[in-house]
Amino acid sequence: MVQVRVAEKEKAYPEGVSFFEVLKDLDKGLLKKTVAVRVNGVLRDLRARLDSTDTTIEPVDIESKEGIEICRHSAAHVMAEAVRSLYDNVKVAIGPAIEDGFYYDFDTERPFTPEDLEKIEARMKEIVKADHPIIGKSVGKAEALEFFKAKGEIYKEEIIAGLEGDEVSVYSQADFTDLCRGPHLPSTGWIKAFKLTGTAGAYWRGSEKNKMLQRVYGTAFASRKALEDYLARIEEARKRDHRKLGRELDLFTTSEDIGAGLVLWHPNGSTVRRVIEDFWKGEHVKGDYSIVYTPHIAQVGLWKTSGHWDFYRENLFSPMDVEGQEYIVKPMNCPFHIQIYKTHLRSYRDLPVRYAELGTVYRYERSGVLHGLLRVRGFTQDDAHIFMTPDQLEEEIKGVLNFTLYILKSFGFNEFDIYLSTRPEKYVGALENWAKAESALKAALESTGLEYSVDPGEGVFYGPKIDIKIKDVIGRSWQCSTIQVDFNLPERFDVTYRDESGHEARPIMIHRALMGSLERFFGCLVEHYAGAFPFWLSPVQVTVLTVTQRNDEYARSVYKRLREEGLRAELDIRNEKLGYKIREAQLKKIPYQLVIGDSEEADGKVAPRQRGGESLAPESLDGFIERAKRENRP
RNA sequence: GCCGGCGUAGCUCAGGGGUAGAGCAACUGAUUCGUAAUCAGUAGGUCGGGGGUUCGAUUCCCCCCGCCGGCUCCA
């Protein structure tokens, strides 16, 4: 007999009884929302049986992260079963649960079409309805190898060959057997809600060198309601898509005639960008940065010296010939800033030197990776390079980190995911410098009191870095800020300063971008605010609307005054009904609509209406201007 | 770059071997109107580009460009 505890309850059962039976006996209600159990810290199937060491059983709730993962994983198996039953000569590869869903990779005779997706989903529904038991067992490695070999499952063979230990576990449902660690649902009927979401090509083991397999994506949830909520969230994200809003609000476009990944900023988008840039410049001047400008092209030798020519050649635009010299469009700003630094002999007393630039760079991104404003070929970095003595490193990083957070918060981002990336396998620079820099970054992070995680080996070849991802209102993360320590470039460009004893010494550099690229950051802002920018960023802040043409003259004077006060105003005196004009202003997401009718004109007032639909009491123009000015800042 | 899908009026989309259609937007006229769409009329397209098949291609085939979903990549 085994003494079993589940939550508060305790009872003895004979060995060999399944966890399912134990729960059924002890707490039927609990069983209903349980998909697996954790026993002594290990996840097990409900079908698994008690053995002598099992004492405490923790049920895994279907709504829990692990519970949903188990559902998704089982759904992936159901999909594999469906695909194998529908198509000949299919080999299955891997099929894990992922964030928001699951996928399974198949090696097929031909790629899947959208029609295939429907067929597969329909077959999956049949399999769920048939409620096949999902049974796991442990088998010898040799036996498993033989089994999958006989079935022609070469990918499974490869996986098994790479596994440690003598035993592997396999799961079977109906006539489909898969290599799998588990756990799984007790039977296919336990899958409550799923949907296939797409197909894609995906390389075996993620390497371009390997064969491209067919991946089918899907998702599964604990209930139909949860699935519907998820689909509604996707729909919400779709509504916020910066590419859609960019067109609707006339913010930006790209043009086939110009080229992929090159952005045209329309007047509305340009206004937002200008406000961002003005704010950025002002804050940098306050923060003791020097703002600089540098050319868009330069001799390729600069990039050979920097090392980018060797490391990133496939992402540089081809050189152009200028009187026998090779020039390229710049992929980075750093060498220019270094050249400026080097025009003078620097003393330790001059450091740190901070150069900031809204520098437009061009990188040849492979066509398949381009995406709206988020991944483009020409973009403007809010770049800066700081030259300092090694002693100044920690203090400087703290300063940069706090500055970054301040700027991001000014744009309405208050939640961050912060990562410290440490030395990668391929690196340059002395180990002791790496250690020093990593500990300086760490100390700076700790001084903020914010949580962060370490990405081991994810640093750049020339130094460790801090990356900050901002979270938008619907919880998505966007990589924007990066703070990178660099030992490489000062060396390569022979950057120096005179230390306290008058000797030549090597400064350390920091590269940092707060918004990353203006394009990406702008795209992120659009989605964060769903196009309804805060007042200080809105392309048009106020629109003056007349009720009838009798009010045109007064409306003009209101409009003129608003412009004189530096507010971005528009005047709509078209011969249309008020409702029509309001609707249009609303769709343009203009923060304030000033309604001007006979009564406002008679009283010398304006009647503000807010973007949200709320009408404010008529007030004097001065009063409104005061309100607007109060809101016209971060 | 790779896999799949898509490209028709400014936008959203329908159509389909015999040279195209709707709604909204635009323009013109009437209406002078109070917080999300007044009515009527007009105009608008080398059907992404190039080549091929065909008596005839926007439709079928090939190549290219661009966009979308992924993979890979992202200093």
Side-chain angles (χ1 to χ4, degrees):
Chain A
M1 296 294 277
V2 181
Q3 194 67 15
V4 174
R5 282 185 303 279
V6 179
E8 304 296 295
K9 297 176 181 162
E10 190 166 341
K11 195 170 167 183
Y13 292 92
E15 261 179 61
V17 169
S18 75
F19 296 115
F20 180 87
E21 287 163 311
V22 170
L23 284 181
K24 194 173 165 191
D25 179 60
L26 266 184
D27 193 337
K28 244 183 172 163
L30 190 62
L31 177 62
K32 271 190 180 163
K33 32 182 214 139
T34 299
V35 289
V37 290
R38 185 191 298 279
V39 183
N40 302 329
V42 180
L43 287 173
R44 309 278 305 266
D45 299 328
L46 280 176
R47 282 184 184 276
R49 292 171 190 285
L50 282 178
D51 53 55
S52 56
T53 57
D54 297 340
T55 49
T56 300
I57 301 176
E58 301 167 61
V60 175
D61 190 289
I62 186 166
E63 303 272 3
S64 70
K65 192 167 169 280
E66 283 167 330
I68 290 169
E69 263 176 31
I70 290 165
C71 291
R72 289 174 178 165
H73 196 174
S74 293
H77 275 224
V78 168
M79 180 160 78
E81 182 186 345
V83 168
R84 293 227 27 175
S85 74
L86 284 167
Y87 305 94
D88 295 328
N89 300 321
V90 173
K91 297 179 189 67
V92 299
I94 50 166
I98 52 172
E99 186 167 1
D100 286 342
F102 62 87
Y103 68 79
Y104 213 115
D105 285 346
F106 305 97
D107 186 351
T108 59
E109 286 179 335
R110 61 165 179 84
F112 290 126
T113 63
E115 293 74 50
D116 287 320
L117 206 66
E118 285 173 30
K119 267 169 69 180
I120 296 166
E121 190 170 295
R123 176 60 58 90
M124 285 174 72
K125 283 189 177 138
E126 291 168 22
I127 294 169
V128 169
K129 201 168 174 198
D131 198 18
H132 301 308
I134 305 173
I135 296 162
K137 65 172 178 178
S138 187
V139 298
K141 215 166 163 180
E143 191 190 328
L145 263 177
E146 202 178 314
F147 175 83
F148 286 109
K149 201 166 195 163
K151 295 213 159 210
E153 294 289 6
I154 53 174
Y155 300 99
K156 295 297 174 191
E157 275 183 61
E158 196 178 320
I159 296 167
I160 294 169
L163 290 177
E164 294 191 1
D166 301 327
E167 299 253 303
V168 298
S169 74
V170 296
Y171 279 80
S172 301
Q173 65 206 48
D175 59 353
F176 174 73
T177 298
D178 199 358
L179 174 75
C180 186
R181 199 182 293 122
H184 275 283
L185 299 173
S187 66
T188 59
W190 284 53
I191 296 169
K192 295 299 173 220
F194 75 93
K195 185 175 169 60
L196 297 189
T197 51
T199 58
Y203 301 107
W204 166 238
R205 301 221 144 149
S207 169
E208 277 181 292
K209 295 188 183 82
N210 293 338
K211 182 165 188 186
M212 182 164 267
L213 308 175
Q214 293 303 309
R215 177 170 297 178
V216 181
Y217 283 95
T219 192
F221 283 89
S223 65
R224 189 128 282 277
K225 170 86 170 62
L227 174 62
E228 277 160 16
D229 288 349
Y230 168 75
L231 296 173
R233 278 206 307 284
I234 300 288
E235 178 61 21
E236 170 63 22
R238 209 181 59 76
K239 277 189 209 148
R240 290 171 173 266
D241 192 312
H242 70 281
R243 294 165 298 189
K244 179 175 179 284
L245 289 169
R247 195 172 46 245
E248 288 173 0
L249 300 175
D250 201 12
L251 299 170
F252 69 92
T253 48
T254 55
S255 156
E256 213 173 310
D257 296 329
I258 290 169
L262 301 169
V263 180
L264 294 172
W265 291 73
H266 293 206
N268 284 338
S270 297
T271 299
V272 180
R273 175 167 169 168
R274 197 190 76 231
V275 174
I276 294 170
E277 290 185 355
D278 289 348
F279 171 70
W280 185 92
K281 284 180 188 162
E283 295 305 313
H284 277 72
V285 171
K286 282 189 221 164
D288 215 5
Y289 283 80
S290 305
I291 292 179
V292 300
Y293 297 90
T294 65
H296 285 226
I297 65 169
Q299 298 202 55
V300 77
L302 215 49
W303 313 103
K304 287 182 177 163
T305 303
S306 74
H308 293 104
W309 182 255
D310 291 330
F311 266 87
Y312 299 106
R313 178 141 24 148
E314 68 281 11
N315 286 309
L316 304 181
F317 279 102
S318 303
M320 58 193 114
D321 178 273
V322 181
E323 295 179 334
Q325 300 291 321
E326 285 191 323
Y327 284 69
I328 58 167
V329 287
K330 66 173 166 181
M332 302 198 89
N333 304 302
C334 15
F336 299 92
H337 295 183
I338 289 172
Q339 295 293 332
I340 297 173
Y341 176 95
K342 286 183 70 177
T343 55
H344 298 290
L345 192 60
R346 308 287 178 171
S347 151
Y348 70 96
R349 281 187 294 252
D350 300 328
L351 303 182
V353 164
R354 307 184 185 92
Y355 293 142
E357 175 179 13
L358 293 165
T360 303
V361 298
Y362 297 87
R363 296 177 185 177
Y364 172 61
E365 302 284 3
R366 301 204 286 178
S367 59
V369 308
L370 300 174
H371 181 94
L373 291 179
L374 305 184
R375 194 77 180 273
V376 290
R377 285 182 174 156
F379 57 96
T380 301
Q381 293 181 309
D382 67 316
D383 210 358
H385 295 94
I386 305 172
F387 301 84
M388 76 211 86
T389 70
D391 291 345
Q392 292 169 328
L393 183 62
E394 187 172 326
E395 197 55 32
E396 196 58 29
I397 290 170
K398 272 186 200 166
V400 170
L401 193 56
N402 287 322
F403 188 54
T404 307
L405 296 171
Y406 161 71
I407 297 285
L408 295 177
K409 284 178 182 169
S410 300
F411 288 101
F413 299 107
N414 294 301
E415 278 189 75
F416 312 103
D417 288 324
I418 305 177
Y419 301 88
L420 170 61
S421 300
T422 58
R423 182 165 50 83
E425 274 176 40
K426 210 175 162 189
Y427 69 96
V428 299
L431 279 175
E432 74 176 294
N433 280 339
W434 275 90
K436 206 188 271 176
E438 284 175 9
S439 74
L441 290 171
K442 210 167 180 170
L445 281 169
E446 261 145 36
S447 75
T448 64
L450 292 168
E451 292 204 3
Y452 67 96
S453 41
V454 178
D455 267 349
E458 289 301 308
V460 194
F461 70 90
Y462 50 68
K465 62 173 178 173
I466 293 172
D467 286 329
I468 301 175
K469 291 187 182 179
I470 53 185
K471 274 213 181 127
D472 72 14
V473 277
I474 58 172
R476 297 169 303 176
S477 282
W478 306 69
Q479 162 78 56
C480 292
S481 315
T482 184
I483 302 168
Q484 306 177 348
V485 179
D486 186 347
F487 322 113
N488 181 45
L489 287 185
E491 197 76 41
R492 282 172 172 265
F493 282 96
D494 192 25
V495 183
T496 61
Y497 68 95
R498 293 304 153 106
D499 65 16
E500 291 88 331
S501 56
H503 292 107
E504 196 166 81
R506 191 74 76 204
I508 292 181
M509 270 177 78
I510 293 177
H511 308 245
R512 44 111 282 192
L514 313 184
M515 299 179 280
S517 98
L518 285 170
E519 283 73 7
R520 159 179 281 269
F521 190 72
F522 178 64
C524 175
L525 272 178
V526 170
E527 303 212 4
H528 182 59
Y529 289 112
F533 295 105
F535 188 82
W536 73 289
L537 288 170
S538 286
V540 178
Q541 297 174 308
V542 188
T543 182
V544 180
L545 311 176
T546 47
V547 177
T548 82
Q549 293 183 328
R550 283 194 302 280
N551 312 120
D552 285 2
E553 200 184 325
Y554 176 62
R556 271 201 196 92
S557 73
V558 169
Y559 165 75
K560 188 158 172 269
R561 174 78 196 288
L562 292 169
R563 300 295 300 202
E564 282 166 3
E565 295 288 348
L567 295 166
R568 296 186 291 276
E570 270 184 359
L571 177 63
D572 188 353
I573 53 174
R574 287 175 305 170
N575 179 12
E576 296 289 350
K577 289 168 94 167
L578 181 62
Y580 181 88
K581 298 183 190 181
I582 285 185
R583 177 181 151 80
E584 233 171 55
Q586 195 79 17
L587 291 174
K588 288 196 288 213
K589 302 180 194 283
I590 299 171
Y592 282 105
Q593 299 137 25
L594 294 189
V595 175
I596 306 287
D598 291 340
S599 62
E600 285 76 19
E601 183 167 350
D603 302 344
K605 289 187 170 178
V606 296
R609 180 185 197 276
Q610 289 177 319
R611 183 162 54 188
E614 192 188 347
S615 294
L616 305 180
E619 61 182 330
S620 70
L621 182 53
D622 285 337
F624 175 76
I625 286 170
E626 200 182 312
R627 172 207 302 281
K629 287 196 164 171
R630 224 169 24 241
E631 291 182 28
N632 200 12
R633 58 176 73 108

